Amino acid sequence: MESRATAATHTVTNQPPEITGRDSFADDLPLREAVARHARPERREEIAAELSALGRDAGSAEYRRAGERADTHPPELRTHDRFGHRIDEVEFHPDWHRLLDRAVEGGLTDAWGRPDGHLRRAAGFHVWTRVEAGHGCPLSMTHAAVPALRADRGLAAFWEPLLTSRRYEPGLRPAGEKAGVLAGMGMTEKQGGSDVRSGTTRAEPVAGGDGLYALTGHKWFCSAPMSDVFLVLAHAPGGLSCFLLPRVLPDGTRNAFRIQRLKNKLGNRANASSEVEFDGTTVARLVGEEGRGVATIIGMVAATRLDCVTGSASLMREALTRAVHHAAHREAFGGRLGDKPLMRNVLADLALESEAATALAMRLAAAYDRAEDGDAAERHLLRIALPAAKYRVTKVCTAMVAEALECLGGNGYVEESGMPRLLREAPVNSIWEGSGNVQALDVLRALQREPGSLNALLSELGRASGADHRFDAAIKELLTELSDPEGIEGRARRLAERIALLLQGSLLVRYAPPAVADAFCASRLGGEGGLAFGTLPG
């Protein structure tokens, strides 16, 4: 009798089912609509089919378990082999390689020069990041390395086909023997952080080396150190310059790339972030001109910033999906949790933030495609909208994911729910490629140095003028803010936030259902919402 009574206490009720067997693209209406809106009409079906194939895998139990395992089993550094030879290798769980293989096959390193290439890749990145965010780091850097390498036609001719390949080949071998490669980067150092010009790494020309340099120095953050090639900054005789550093040289010997340790960091556990040393025998090739290192890598910075926005939008969508799913299946206080007015307010507020982030990320991706096609206005829009979007979307992501976790109560605080993994990852995109202050100051720099950026911004916002009085009033407030240059640096964060919110409001006013646009404008632009989620006006 006692045994049966004890067993009865373990009957599981009032718990939601697993979220599996879904198409993460087809189920994401805001993403689907944004892709259809921006894609060329003749390619919409092709792009949707490609994204649905990726979405079905992203929503499958098979790949979701792979993402969990990759995060549960972190990479391990092996500096030496058993004989004492320096090897500097990082070993990853097999599921890490499995995730990268599917991502590369799905085109997440292949955008440049494809019709609607940036739009379809950004949408795919949005879909696939929901599986596991850590392996998105090498995907993003591999994608973003292309514009930097184009500063040297010879280097681009060799490396670009490998970087944009649909083949993933792990392991350290000469790049010429592989069907596809991954790229990393090493910019920041101990003493400088975002101030890359304060780095101390030196580059000395190799006599008779035909563009080869020997590097001496260190990099404080070098993500994905198992990659095949890296872009690094170092001080050459002509000033701070950009260099391409392969892990394995063409003759099969390993470059002097000393991995000192892996970082024990906040965020995902699947990706390896490292500190590396160059000892004077490290060989690298100059990319672009000496002294033009920052100008050479600026295209890489912009591309990774877009991935920061897109990656945050993806995390927000995944957190929202889990919160809504829980509320739809959980009973509390005599009824369905999702039917309670206050919980509905919270979920609606989270959904607003998610939809606005997705709409803006896809708009910026479409602007990338048009800018590549020669549209100067879209290029100017990117110059100001990208840092503003990165500032706002990546910063609000952490608060939004934390609120979504709270919707699950104590269940959300347990690792098995998947919510802690999302919350640990949420802050990274606001730090990577420049933290909040860097983005806000970059918005000011765009306004001061590129007048075309303000014109492009006002033109974009003007497409929604007259549809909502709060939106129109917010534009006037922005213009008033811009007309007062006194102390504007101290107001740069407020300015960046307002620009991003107006861009989101413009998109929702034009394309979202009226109720969505109304709620966003009321709460984000009209001051009718509170400072916490779940405080939407009636």
Side-chain angles (χ1 to χ4, degrees):
M1 283 300 266
E2 184 179 348
S3 176
R4 286 197 296 273
T6 302
T9 67
H10 292 279
T11 301
V12 178
T13 61
N14 200 24
Q15 289 286 345
E18 287 281 359
I19 309 178
T20 56
R22 306 171 70 169
D23 181 337
S24 295
F25 176 68
D27 285 353
D28 192 339
L29 181 60
L31 180 62
R32 277 199 350 257
E33 290 180 341
V35 170
R37 180 161 63 242
H38 297 302
R40 303 179 195 190
E42 67 274 16
R43 296 198 174 271
R44 286 174 186 160
E45 289 187 11
E46 170 198 333
I47 294 173
E50 180 180 291
L51 292 171
S52 268
L54 192 65
R56 287 190 294 274
D57 282 344
S60 70
E62 174 187 356
Y63 278 102
R64 283 182 171 266
R65 296 288 181 271
E68 292 169 4
R69 287 191 295 266
D71 191 71
T72 304
H73 301 280
E76 297 181 4
L77 172 62
R78 295 179 62 222
T79 55
H80 297 76
D81 67 13
R82 69 189 184 93
F83 302 107
H85 301 123
R86 188 92 195 204
I87 57 173
D88 296 286
E89 292 183 357
V90 182
E91 293 183 350
F92 290 83
H93 189 271
D95 281 309
W96 161 271
H97 297 295
R98 188 178 186 188
L99 294 174
L100 273 174
D101 183 68
R102 180 64 182 93
V104 171
E105 178 194 17
L108 300 193
T109 59
D110 181 18
W112 307 97
R114 296 174 68 202
D116 294 316
H118 291 279
L119 175 65
R120 67 205 301 171
R121 183 199 165 270
F125 194 76
H126 189 294
V127 166
W128 194 248
T129 296
R130 295 176 60 180
V131 178
E132 194 284 315
H135 73 292
C137 179
L139 293 172
S140 182
M141 292 188 296
T142 301
H143 157 69
V146 170
L149 289 176
R150 286 179 173 177
D152 185 308
R153 291 184 180 180
L155 289 176
F158 176 80
W159 288 100
E160 188 169 334
L162 294 171
L163 293 167
T164 58
S165 168
R166 298 292 185 102
R167 292 274 302 278
Y168 171 61
E169 290 194 12
L172 295 179
R173 303 193 305 281
E177 298 177 8
K178 302 181 77 171
V181 300
L182 295 181
M185 61 181 177
M187 306 297 171
T188 62
E189 301 189 6
K190 299 171 188 173
Q191 69 287 339
S194 296
D195 184 9
V196 294
R197 293 186 184 278
S198 68
T200 59
T201 299
R202 304 188 315 276
E204 298 294 336
V206 175
D210 189 25
L212 291 179
Y213 288 68
L215 304 188
T216 305
H218 73 277
K219 293 299 174 183
W220 188 232
F221 277 98
C222 180
S223 289
M226 77 298 161
S227 299
D228 299 279
V229 66
F230 293 82
L231 290 177
V232 301
L233 290 176
H235 288 279
L240 187 65
S241 306
C242 179
F243 295 90
L244 181 142
L245 189 162
R247 282 297 314 271
V248 181
L249 301 175
D251 64 3
T253 60
R254 295 195 177 185
N255 212 347
F257 185 92
R258 309 305 189 205
I259 305 175
Q260 300 300 89
R261 63 172 175 166
L262 300 185
K263 297 286 193 180
N264 184 11
K265 64 185 188 304
L266 175 69
N268 70 80
R269 300 176 180 131
N271 186 38
S273 295
S274 65
E275 297 170 27
V276 299
E277 298 282 342
F278 311 136
D279 67 359
T281 62
T282 308
V283 178
R285 185 172 295 279
L286 180 68
V287 182
E289 302 174 25
E290 274 196 12
R292 297 278 296 165
V294 173
T296 300
I297 66 164
I298 202 67
M300 184 178 197
V301 170
T304 47
R305 283 181 178 178
L306 177 57
D307 275 3
C308 289
V309 177
T310 307
S312 291
S314 176
L315 291 173
M316 292 160 75
R317 178 68 188 188
E318 181 64 19
L320 171 67
T321 299
R322 291 173 184 250
V324 170
H325 180 77
H326 180 85
H329 292 88
R330 184 80 162 175
E331 298 283 336
F333 307 107
R336 192 68 56 87
L337 183 59
D339 293 334
K340 304 297 181 181
L342 196 52
M343 180 56 77
R344 291 177 69 83
N345 196 316
V346 171
L347 295 174
D349 214 355
L350 297 177
L352 277 181
E353 204 65 65
S354 173
E355 180 161 350
T358 295
L360 183 52
M362 293 306 106
R363 174 65 184 92
L364 295 175
Y368 244 104
D369 284 319
R370 294 165 191 162
E372 270 213 313
D373 289 339
D375 190 323
E378 293 289 276
R379 179 172 54 80
H380 285 308
L381 178 64
L382 277 174
R383 179 63 188 89
I384 190 169
L386 196 51
K390 184 183 181 302
Y391 173 82
R392 162 69 188 175
V393 174
T394 63
K395 198 163 290 295
V396 77
C397 177
T398 302
M400 189 252 178
V401 172
E403 191 68 57
L405 182 152
E406 190 175 325
C407 292
L408 277 67
N411 288 331
Y413 211 67
V414 176
E415 283 292 339
E416 287 91 335
S417 73
M419 296 301 285
R421 177 153 61 100
L422 297 179
L423 185 57
R424 283 195 304 272
E425 184 68 12
V428 69
N429 288 319
S430 64
I431 298 170
W432 194 27
E433 290 303 351
S435 57
N437 284 355
V438 172
Q439 304 308 312
L441 293 173
D442 202 29
V443 169
L444 288 188
R445 196 174 298 112
L447 289 167
Q448 293 162 355
R449 299 182 183 179
E450 298 188 32
S453 64
L454 178 59
N455 293 335
L457 172 66
L458 295 177
S459 176
E460 177 73 12
L461 299 180
R463 295 188 175 103
S465 64
D468 187 285
H469 68 278
R470 293 154 300 197
F471 177 79
D472 293 343
I475 293 179
K476 292 179 182 178
E477 291 171 7
L478 174 66
L479 294 173
T480 301
E481 188 90 20
L482 291 172
S483 67
D484 179 17
E486 187 68 27
I488 196 168
E489 183 173 325
R491 294 181 277 117
R493 280 183 170 229
R494 172 180 169 82
L495 187 63
E497 181 180 67
R498 297 303 286 178
I499 288 173
L501 286 170
L502 280 166
L503 284 165
Q504 290 177 321
S506 169
L507 291 164
L508 296 183
V509 165
R510 283 183 280 164
Y511 303 118
V516 172
D518 179 64
F520 186 90
C521 290
S523 58
R524 272 67 171 176
L525 298 176
E528 298 170 42
L531 298 180
F533 286 104
T535 55
L536 292 175

